[in-house]
Amino acid sequence: MTKEQAFNKFVKLYDVEVPEERVQEMYEYFLLQAKHNMQYDTMINGNVHLHKAQELAEMEPEMREAAYMEAKSDLVMKELLKKLDPQVTQEELEAKAEEMTRKDGTSMDMVHMFFGKDLAGLKRSVREDKVKEYILEQVSG
């Protein structure tokens, strides 16, 4: 099981109230993305979506479920970050930056330009990775 799979499983079972407004915001975002994807598909691949409204209506249940899970995941992560308060060292930030350069094929200069000279912009990502690693250990252990 991966960290992401363990986190998703944990989120499904975690008891937290998810405000409907947050779910609706995420749904509207996913709906907008689906519309953009259809336009892109038409421009790039020449696929014509004659029944766009029907296609979107068919995707609605899946998008609503995804919106709920996204909103819930955000809330669960915020609670766990507060509860576990994982600390991040400069070495961990540098390791994350190096991982990004290998994965994304970018330079360390670009990573520093985007996340700051001290890589402080990567701190949340590393903290979230630590929370997911903790959950994986709990699920696996």
Side-chain angles (χ1 to χ4, degrees):
M1 180 180 302
T2 67
K3 288 190 285 190
E4 286 301 318
Q5 290 169 329
F7 181 68
N8 291 336
K9 182 178 178 180
F10 184 86
V11 167
K12 285 180 184 177
L13 300 173
Y14 196 87
D15 186 28
V16 65
E17 185 178 332
V18 182
E20 183 56 39
E21 310 85 58
R22 289 184 79 149
V23 175
Q24 185 62 29
E25 287 171 5
M26 289 307 304
Y27 170 73
E28 289 170 9
Y29 172 76
F30 289 148
L31 181 60
L32 185 61
Q33 279 298 121
K35 289 177 181 179
H36 284 282
N37 289 344
M38 286 179 178
Q39 288 175 333
Y40 185 78
D41 187 38
T42 299
M43 289 186 328
I44 300 302
N45 300 318
N47 296 331
V48 179
H49 297 274
L50 295 175
H51 307 285
K52 193 181 293 189
Q54 182 180 345
E55 285 184 59
L56 292 170
E58 290 171 1
M59 294 181 340
E60 183 176 353
E62 185 179 321
M63 286 192 296
R64 287 207 179 273
E65 177 63 25
Y68 174 81
M69 283 304 295
E70 187 69 27
K72 186 175 183 183
S73 293
D74 288 346
L75 293 171
V76 171
M77 181 56 77
K78 284 180 183 173
E79 280 190 23
L80 292 174
L81 284 169
K82 193 179 291 184
K83 179 180 173 183
L84 299 173
D85 192 26
Q87 300 302 303
V88 177
T89 66
Q90 188 62 35
E91 291 77 24
E92 290 169 322
L93 292 173
E94 290 169 10
K96 180 73 169 182
E98 288 174 18
E99 176 187 330
M100 291 177 80
T101 63
R102 285 191 305 276
K103 252 190 212 176
D104 302 338
T106 188
S107 70
M108 190 59 83
D109 287 338
M110 291 298 289
V111 173
H112 280 286
M113 207 166 75
F114 191 77
F115 293 105
K117 192 81 170 151
D118 62 357
L119 300 170
L122 285 174
K123 189 172 183 179
R124 181 174 174 103
S125 177
V126 174
R127 291 182 79 222
E128 288 178 355
D129 284 347
K130 286 184 168 198
V131 166
K132 290 175 183 177
E133 185 65 41
Y134 171 81
I135 291 169
L136 180 61
E137 290 170 6
Q138 299 306 305
V139 171
S140 301

